[in-house]
Amino acid sequence: QSALTQPASVSGSPGQSIAISCTGTSSDVGAYKYVSWYQQHPGKAPKLLIYEVSNRPSGVSTRFSGSRSGNTASLTISGLQAEDEADYHCSSYATSGSYVFGTGTKVTVL
Amino acid sequence: HVQLQESGPGLVKPSQTLSLTCTVSGDFTGTTSYYWSWIRQPAGKGLEWIGHIYNSGSANYNPSLKSRVSMSVDTSKKQFSLKMRSVTAADTAVYYCVRGSNWGSVDYWGQGTLVTVAA
């Protein structure tokens, strides 16, 4: 199974909105609603932001939202803040009964 | 609330077997909605799912690693383990033990442990 494709980096100014894409195939992202997004600060373990494409766990800011169109899922961060500077990873359940992660995206707040 | 802690050697020689154990504090027996998993991350790179195991012992592995990986669970000790055979430098990474759910998300992560494969 191949890793899901994410842009290596995305940047934006404070207050702006940015979107991170996560492109898979009809055997993973396009086939199941089990797409998740994680935020990872340097030296820390990832933190769950979104599950089942667009659901936020309790305690996660409403500035984070998820969506999907075909084989591509997206994470949107609105009202960008300095603390949002981190790496972001998507993941999806796959037909083989396994899970696959994305290549990861570094978000820079200008 | 669940806490996970990885333990095991930080240095493994090439061709040998990497062995890690994860000790869980809090709810371990849980429900069939959750599983225990290992995820790794080479320095500066993305995450890679290694596999997961249910309390029943039923496991699924990453197809690309399946021939070298095995997992086990000991509910009495609230632990689960990873063994990876015939390691090479490409297996050098931070290894995380985590709790995952049947809806595809990981809600609890260990702090991660760096395993280096070198002679």
Side-chain angles (χ1 to χ4, degrees), chain B residues 25-100:
Chain B
S25 301
D27 183 17
F28 186 84
T29 52
T31 71
T32 54
S33 297
Y34 297 99
Y35 56 77
W36 309 102
S37 182
W38 291 94
I39 293 168
R40 69 180 182 178
Q41 184 175 34
K45 296 188 178 181
L47 301 166
E48 181 178 32
W49 176 79
I50 299 173
H52 66 256
I53 188 166
Y54 289 89
N55 283 356
S56 64
S58 174
N60 286 74
Y61 304 120
N62 185 323
S64 66
L65 300 171
K66 189 174 183 178
S67 64
R68 300 194 292 128
V69 167
S70 62
M71 294 181 185
S72 60
V73 61
D74 187 332
T75 56
S76 65
K77 293 183 178 179
K78 299 177 74 172
Q79 293 179 332
F80 61 102
S81 300
L82 168 70
K83 288 190 185 299
M84 182 179 291
R85 299 173 290 278
S86 305
V87 297
T88 69
D91 295 312
T92 294
V94 173
Y95 285 74
Y96 294 99
C97 64
V98 306
R99 188 183 83 164

Side-chain angles (χ1 to χ4, degrees), chain A residues 1 33-36 38 40 43-48 50-52 87 89 91 93 96-104, chain B residues 35 37 39 41 45-50 52 54 60-64 96 101-107 109-112:
Chain A
Q1 59 187 15
K33 65 178 181 178
Y34 303 126
V35 175
S36 301
Y38 302 87
Q40 185 180 30
K44 301 293 186 182
K47 170 192 172 184
L48 179 64
I50 298 288
Y51 67 96
E52 288 186 325
D87 292 329
H89 307 273
S91 76
Y93 181 76
S96 57
S98 58
Y99 291 89
V100 60
F101 280 96
T103 48
Chain B
Y35 56 77
S37 182
I39 293 168
Q41 184 175 34
K45 296 188 178 181
L47 301 166
E48 181 178 32
W49 176 79
I50 299 173
H52 66 256
Y54 289 89
N60 286 74
Y61 304 120
N62 185 323
S64 66
Y96 294 99
S101 67
N102 287 344
W103 45 97
S105 62
V106 172
D107 53 0
W109 296 72
Q111 65 182 26

Side-chain angles (χ1 to χ4, degrees), chain A residues 50-91:
Chain A
I50 298 288
Y51 67 96
E52 288 186 325
V53 177
S54 59
N55 293 324
R56 273 186 310 276
S58 174
V60 172
S61 172
T62 56
R63 298 187 300 105
F64 295 95
S65 62
S67 63
R68 179 183 60 179
S69 177
N71 297 336
T72 298
S74 297
L75 173 72
T76 299
I77 308 175
S78 57
L80 198 62
Q81 300 179 359
E83 67 207 50
D84 299 332
E85 187 159 296
D87 292 329
Y88 291 82
H89 307 273
C90 63
S91 76

